[in-house]
Amino acid sequence: MKKVKFIYNPYSGEKTIASDLDKIIMIHQEYEHTIVPYRISNEHPISDAFSDIDNSYSYILIAGGDGTIDSVVNDMKKKNIYLPIAILPAGTANDFANYIGMPHDVGDACNQILKSSVVNVDLGKINNKYFMNVASTGLFTDISQKMDMNLKNTIGKLAYYVKGIEQLPNFRKLKIKVVSEEVFFDGNMYLMLIFNGQTAGNLKFAYNAKVDDGLLDVIIIKAGTMKNILNIFIKMLRNEHLENVEGIVYFKTNRLEIECFEDIVTDIDGERGPDFPLVIECVKSGISILGAKI
């Protein structure tokens, strides 16, 4: 029987993944796969999960949110592990898992993974770190880092919007310089998002993004009047198209450089990202994945 390394975060989302362990093992055994579980904790970091990886393993199964997925992928890259990954959505937003069509029912997700073929998808790379879904900077980008975990786990993605509303009185213009082959932007902005996937907080900002085209979708919300900004956010909440919208720069690229001298942080799928200056690239076919419907 082929082995599957199952890396799970017991604290993700509603903290239910541990209760599904028997179902995960049972379904995999039906497909002649043996689950080898690894529980992430402060005492047992993700990096220790790969100590026994060899050619007897079929793939890496990850249960957690977008941040957990990124952490696993970054460790795999450091250790030159090229096994496919598969995702069980167990986080708060599960943006990337939702984008690739993973069911939230554990049994359905396992069956979809085990019946699927491997596909190659792109990765985002920001300086020396990789991300699956989205990198961002500007206002709101430190929401998930400052958020009370009890609030996040209790009300889920609504917690992001609550925290975002709290920040509205703090709106200020942020000077930034963005250089790519397609666009040069040197001005003031409020928020910048760089997508490999399509959604953030399950809002489909980059509706036209594709995870296998070798390109990242970049959205810059320029600083402007509050009326204009509110109009942009209403369009975002309604999942309306953002091309040719006043106050927004939207383009695709495989590489961009960003300079910023403001006191702001970067965010990679809800986790703290690297400091400026940034070089962001799309790594075409950067990782193999099972279960994806794209």
Side-chain angles (χ1 to χ4, degrees):
M1 296 178 84
K2 276 286 188 179
K3 293 189 290 187
V4 174
K5 176 64 70 173
F6 175 44
I7 302 172
Y8 69 98
N9 183 349
Y11 306 107
S12 287
E14 298 179 358
K15 305 179 183 179
T16 61
I17 194 65
S19 64
D20 291 317
L21 186 56
D22 183 66
K23 183 183 291 185
I24 295 166
I25 292 171
M26 177 189 72
I27 293 173
H28 277 77
Q29 285 182 179
E30 290 174 357
Y31 287 83
E32 299 185 345
H33 284 69
T34 300
I35 288 287
V36 180
Y38 184 87
R39 181 184 186 274
I40 302 167
S41 68
N42 291 332
E43 297 78 20
H44 301 284
I46 288 173
S47 58
D48 291 347
F50 303 105
S51 60
D52 63 338
I53 292 294
D54 56 27
N55 60 11
S56 67
Y57 279 91
S58 178
Y59 67 93
I60 310 292
L61 180 63
I62 309 165
D66 295 300
T68 301
I69 298 165
D70 284 358
S71 296
V72 171
V73 168
N74 274 277
D75 255 70
M76 290 176 65
K77 288 295 183 181
K78 286 178 186 175
K79 292 176 168 59
N80 296 316
I81 296 170
Y82 301 105
L83 288 172
I85 65 168
I87 300 167
L88 298 180
T92 302
N94 303 304
D95 280 297
F96 190 78
N98 290 336
Y99 167 53
I100 63 171
M102 293 308 304
H104 282 243
D105 178 84
V106 166
D108 291 343
C110 287
N111 279 298
Q112 181 167 306
I113 290 164
L114 289 158
K115 291 177 180 177
S116 69
S117 299
V118 172
V119 297
N120 294 322
V121 300
D122 302 337
L123 281 176
K125 187 177 183 183
I126 176 168
N127 290 357
N128 63 346
K129 295 191 72 173
Y130 296 89
F131 64 94
M132 293 291 294
N133 190 57
V134 62
S136 63
T137 189
L139 300 174
F140 301 141
T141 56
D142 59 352
I143 286 175
S144 60
Q145 297 161 34
K146 293 179 178 178
M147 192 182 305
D148 178 82
M149 287 303 295
N150 290 326
L151 176 66
K152 183 178 175 181
N153 289 332
T154 301
I155 63 175
K157 66 180 180 179
L158 180 61
Y160 290 98
Y161 308 145
V162 171
K163 198 70 179 178
I165 291 169
E166 288 179 4
Q167 288 199 12
L168 286 175
N170 301 321
F171 262 29
R172 61 187 175 93
K173 297 178 180 179
L174 303 169
K175 184 75 164 60
I176 197 165
K177 182 179 178 181
V178 180
V179 180
S180 77
E181 186 176 331
E182 298 79 8
V183 166
F184 175 83
F185 178 83
D186 188 359
N188 295 318
M189 63 99 182
Y190 287 140
L191 175 65
M192 183 174 182
L193 301 152
I194 303 98
F195 283 95
N196 186 45
Q198 291 186 340
T199 66
N202 285 323
L203 294 177
K204 191 177 282 190
F205 296 126
Y207 78 96
N208 203 29
K210 296 183 179 178
V211 77
D212 57 358
D213 62 356
L215 299 170
L216 301 169
D217 282 46
V218 182
I219 300 172
I220 303 172
I221 300 179
K222 297 192 288 187
T225 65
M226 185 55 65
K227 180 180 178 181
N228 194 33
I229 293 304
L230 288 173
N231 179 54
I232 289 171
F233 280 116
I234 288 170
K235 287 181 178 292
M236 287 180 166
L237 290 169
R238 291 175 176 171
N239 289 329
E240 295 182 9
H241 297 181
L242 299 178
E243 291 101 326
N244 303 316
V245 173
E246 184 180 356
I248 287 183
V249 178
Y250 190 159
F251 63 100
K252 290 176 176 284
T253 187
N254 63 1
R255 188 180 188 277
L256 65 156
E257 298 178 11
I258 307 173
E259 292 183 53
C260 182
F261 301 97
E262 304 281 352
D263 182 24
I264 55 174
V265 300
T266 65
D267 181 280
I268 307 173
D269 288 331
E271 305 295 330
R272 177 70 181 261
D275 295 327
F276 294 97
L278 305 174
V279 175
I280 305 179
E281 302 171 277
C282 182
V283 182
K284 184 168 177 58
S285 301
I287 196 158
S288 301
I289 194 165
L290 284 162
K293 290 188 172 183
I294 54 174

